[in-house]
Amino acid sequence: MASTSESSASPQGQAEKPVVIVTVGMAGSGKTTFMQRLNAHLFQNQEPRYVMNLDPAVAKLPFQCNLDIRDSVNYKKVMEEHRLGPNGAIMTSLNLFTTKVDQVLNILEKRAVPDPENPSRKPVKTILVDTPGQIEVFVWSASGTILLDSLASSFPTVIAYIVDTTRACSTSTFMSNMLYACSILYKTKLPMVVVFNKTDIQDAGFAKEWMTDYEAFREALDGDENKNAFGGQDGGSGYMASLLNSMSLMLEEFYSHLKVVSVSSVKGTGIDDFMDAVKEKVHEFNTVYQPELDRRRAEREEIKKKQREKELEKMMRDMSMDGLTAAAPEENKSDDEDVQEPTPDGDSDDEIDDENDREGLQARYAASLLGKDSVTEEASFAKYLHSQRNATQ
């Protein structure tokens, strides 16, 4: 009952937006196979989906894409033209693709609403995004940040971090994956679901136990140390064991806020649990992350507004100084020229002219900002000052 009331309190229209699932993970963790299984699961349940591929170096995909980065960027040509290696070419390809992020968002927003010209086509409910195998190229690059921020600004976005369970049996590899997950969570500032993949080969119960029971992880750590799993001498490396032990204590708070599911992409087990976890994270996005995104967006707009006001004030000040300079005599008067007598109120005619010129300049500048043409007969501002000086004389 509580979840129903909370979901009803979400922003209007937010629940109707499709959820974006971005899969990330180390090379060989099974991201592509997981995407294939997830796509097949949604197709079987007749749920409209939209599939995006952001890996420009993949040779062949086992699923069909609605939007493929390879259609707009040629990875091999990027390597040849820019003389780059594999990682540099992937990053450059993502940078080129990011220049079209507005077009991508327009396509997604159109697919998220009913099509009047094609009423039979249902709006998409899920957007699947496959990323390059080089996790650091996407997560820690400027293009990856722009893509994630753009998606999160329009749709509820969830990160699915894929872990190879067979490799995570070692305490050191397990801790490396958890540190990756922690850094990605705080880098993207988006809700995350940790997916232990390949559970048809290795059950993920040990990993869940290590995340909830410190003593269990400590026992496994002692076992690896006694087996000389860290490559040290005389029973293992004490430094490595101490480091992993400290990391486990540090990540205990991180584990408590993490959603973990076990999935077999080959057999399809655990996909329903993953989708349930995504629904929970969508609610978390709407209630926790979305207000924070709105606050940060409002702060950026306020900063831009202050900068515009500051630039306008500086421009007005500069124009006022230019008016004083233009009002000054262009040539120094000779000694034999008569000095003007002060006016009865104590002000000289030059001071009055300066004030008039300054006020006239500001009025002309204000009129130009409003799109008005205050100059009708004078060909230049100098002629205007000359005519005003002759009138006073």
Side-chain angles (χ1 to χ4, degrees):
M1 296 296 293
S3 60
T4 303
S5 60
E6 290 176 354
S7 61
S8 61
S10 60
Q12 185 178 0
Q14 188 69 34
E16 299 177 358
K17 292 185 177 181
V19 55
V20 179
I21 302 175
V22 182
T23 58
V24 297
M26 295 184 180
S29 60
K31 296 188 303 299
T32 302
T33 309
F34 174 77
M35 282 282 296
Q36 179 187 16
R37 175 60 62 179
L38 190 58
N39 183 35
H41 174 79
L42 296 175
F43 175 79
Q44 183 178 2
N45 293 337
Q46 298 182 353
E47 297 184 14
R49 71 240 176 256
Y50 196 89
V51 183
M52 295 175 53
N53 172 47
L54 298 182
D55 189 356
V58 63
K60 186 177 180 180
L61 289 174
F63 52 86
Q64 293 183 350
C65 292
N66 301 99
L67 195 153
D68 197 335
I69 187 176
R70 298 176 298 174
D71 295 336
S72 58
V73 181
N74 192 316
Y75 167 74
K76 293 184 178 180
K77 286 187 177 180
V78 170
M79 290 185 64
E80 295 175 359
E81 293 179 359
H82 299 276
R83 299 181 181 180
L84 299 173
N87 290 345
I90 293 175
M91 183 176 297
T92 303
S93 300
L94 285 173
N95 292 339
L96 295 174
F97 182 79
T98 304
T99 59
K100 304 179 181 179
V101 65
D102 293 337
Q103 301 177 20
V104 174
L105 290 179
N106 290 335
I107 294 174
L108 296 178
E109 290 174 354
K110 290 180 180 179
R111 292 301 306 272
V113 297
D115 187 3
E117 299 180 356
N118 188 9
S120 61
R121 190 181 69 180
K122 298 180 180 179
V124 297
K125 298 297 181 183
T126 307
I127 301 174
L128 305 178
V129 181
D130 193 14
T131 60
Q134 292 78 355
I135 184 175
E136 67 281 356
V137 172
F138 178 79
V139 177
W140 280 277
S141 65
S143 56
T145 302
I146 293 174
L147 288 170
L148 286 177
D149 291 346
S150 301
L151 291 172
S153 64
S154 302
F155 310 101
T157 305
V158 178
I159 302 294
Y161 180 71
I162 314 300
V163 179
D164 187 350
T165 310
T166 59
R167 297 182 181 178
C169 294
S170 170
T171 53
S172 58
T173 308
F174 169 81
M175 188 56 60
S176 298
N177 275 281
M178 293 300 101
L179 288 175
Y180 255 109
C182 180
S183 60
I184 293 172
L185 176 66
Y186 292 109
K187 174 64 171 61
T188 61
K189 296 181 177 64
L190 294 173
M192 173 186 289
V193 178
V194 175
V195 181
F196 282 94
N197 196 16
K198 304 181 182 181
T199 55
D200 54 310
I201 303 176
Q202 175 67 50
D203 184 73
F206 72 93
K208 295 181 179 179
E209 185 180 9
W210 288 354
M211 297 175 67
T212 55
D213 188 353
Y214 167 75
E215 295 298 332
F217 179 79
R218 180 62 191 177
E219 291 178 3
L221 184 61
D222 293 339
D224 288 346
E225 188 177 11
N226 294 332
K227 295 177 183 178
N228 196 19
F230 304 134
Q233 298 178 354
D234 300 332
S237 173
Y239 171 78
M240 187 66 175
S242 176
L243 178 63
L244 295 177
N245 184 44
S246 300
M247 289 181 179
S248 178
L249 292 174
M250 179 191 67
L251 295 178
E252 188 174 1
E253 181 69 18
F254 168 69
Y255 294 152
S256 61
H257 299 284
L258 201 62
K259 188 67 178 181
V260 180
V261 296
S262 302
V263 171
S264 172
S265 298
V266 175
K267 295 185 177 181
T269 57
I271 296 297
D272 290 330
D273 296 337
F274 171 76
M275 295 305 299
D276 293 338
V278 168
K279 292 180 181 179
E280 294 181 11
K281 291 302 177 179
V282 169
H283 173 70
E284 181 180 340
F285 180 92
N286 294 332
T287 56
V288 179
Y289 287 84
Q290 188 63 51
E292 177 64 17
L293 291 175
D294 294 340
R295 184 188 64 82
R296 287 157 52 188
R297 188 182 298 108
E299 289 181 353
R300 290 195 297 268
E301 293 297 331
E302 184 65 22
I303 292 175
K304 291 181 180 179
K305 181 180 178 182
K306 291 182 179 179
Q307 289 178 347
R308 289 194 296 266
E309 293 178 352
K310 185 177 180 180
E311 292 175 358
L312 180 59
E313 181 181 357
K314 181 178 182 298
M315 188 179 300
M316 292 291 293
R317 186 169 58 251
D318 293 342
M319 293 297 293
S320 177
M321 294 300 296
D322 292 341
L324 292 176
T325 304
E330 296 180 357
E331 298 179 357
N332 294 330
K333 293 184 178 181
S334 59
D335 296 337
D336 57 351
E337 290 183 344
D338 297 334
V339 180
Q340 295 181 355
E341 295 294 334
T343 57
D345 56 358
D347 296 331
S348 66
D349 292 339
D350 289 339
E351 293 177 352
I352 296 177
D353 291 341
D354 290 343
E355 293 179 357
N356 294 334
D357 294 340
R358 187 187 311 173
E359 294 176 357
L361 177 65
Q362 292 178 349
R364 289 160 60 86
Y365 180 68
S368 64
L369 289 179
L370 297 175
K372 299 179 180 179
D373 187 7
S374 61
V375 180
T376 56
E377 298 179 354
E378 291 78 11
S380 65
F381 188 61
K383 291 183 178 180
Y384 171 75
L385 293 178
H386 182 69
S387 62
Q388 291 294 324
R389 184 175 299 276
N390 292 335
T392 55
Q393 292 176 356

